[in-house]
Amino acid sequence: MAPFSRITPPLLARLSGSSLGRGQRWQAPRTLSVVLVKGTRKLSLSVAMQVKKYTQDHEWIELSDNGSTGTIGITTYAAKSLGDVVYVELPVMDLEVNAGDSIGAVESVKSASDIMTPVAGKIVEANSILEEKPGIINKGPEGEGWIAKIAVKDKAEIEKLMGSTEYKKFTEE
């Protein structure tokens, strides 16, 4: 078992000084530093909590640690709905976009779908691996199958998007 594998949200809540009432969910801070003491040894642990946000068009965005760059991709729900991805049109570098603009497309054996940016900003990187291996999106749409990175113009736009619980409810409707 890996060290710290038993650090659960309730434990993190206690370590960060917050408490959970009955029926409440713990909200992770963006960064949490914890010092664990075992005997006479101190272990330091710093965890950067990254929060994904979701759109109604089934894209996600996750901010970098410094909060200025966001990684964009399609959700697992969207990838399953599309089926086997056979082609990905990646966004153009340095493209200035507004929230909701199309930045590319994903084509599968079933259909094609535009990729919309959740926030305004400037495209700073595209996942070029997807040009050769578009099926990576099916294997890890919310991980290694990311589409693009964007320099976020207004971080407040991200707060308007759905959290994971809200998105899950949205997809179940």
Side-chain angles (χ1 to χ4, degrees):
M1 185 176 284
F4 310 119
S5 62
R6 293 188 208 160
I7 296 180
T8 61
L11 175 58
L12 285 172
R14 283 187 300 231
L15 292 172
S16 65
S18 59
S19 60
L20 295 176
R22 189 168 176 83
Q24 289 182 318
R25 291 184 56 110
W26 180 66
Q27 288 287 55
R30 285 285 294 155
T31 304
L32 174 67
S33 295
V34 179
V35 177
L36 302 174
V37 179
K38 184 176 182 178
T40 58
R41 299 172 77 195
K42 282 187 179 182
L43 304 171
S44 222
L45 171 67
S46 182
V47 180
M49 301 292 183
Q50 303 216 336
V51 179
K52 273 190 184 151
K53 295 289 196 158
Y54 301 86
T55 70
Q56 292 183 352
D57 294 320
H58 307 289
E59 284 91 16
W60 57 268
I61 186 167
E62 184 174 60
L63 282 182
S64 62
D65 290 339
N66 66 11
S68 64
T69 305
T71 302
I72 299 170
I74 65 169
T75 64
T76 302
Y77 179 89
K80 286 180 181 177
S81 297
L82 281 169
D84 293 334
V85 175
V86 294
Y87 175 76
V88 179
E89 178 189 334
L90 294 172
V92 177
M93 296 292 294
D94 297 326
L95 178 67
E96 295 276 344
V97 293
N98 292 313
D101 286 354
S102 176
I103 59 170
V106 177
E107 294 180 15
S108 72
V109 294
K110 291 182 183 178
S111 65
S113 181
D114 284 337
I115 302 162
M116 311 299 222
T117 179
V119 296
K122 181 179 181 180
I123 301 297
V124 294
E125 187 178 348
N127 190 353
S128 59
I129 294 170
L130 298 177
E131 291 175 324
E132 296 294 319
K133 298 178 180 179
I136 289 174
I137 287 181
N138 295 110
K139 294 177 186 164
E142 295 191 38
E144 63 182 1
W146 60 273
I147 307 288
K149 295 192 179 187
I150 186 170
V152 178
K153 189 174 183 179
D154 182 6
K155 293 178 201 167
E157 285 183 315
I158 291 172
E159 296 307 314
K160 297 175 186 174
L161 302 172
M162 292 181 274
S164 60
T165 304
E166 296 162 300
Y167 181 71
K168 185 178 179 191
K169 287 179 186 175
F170 173 75
T171 58
E172 291 172 349
E173 292 176 352

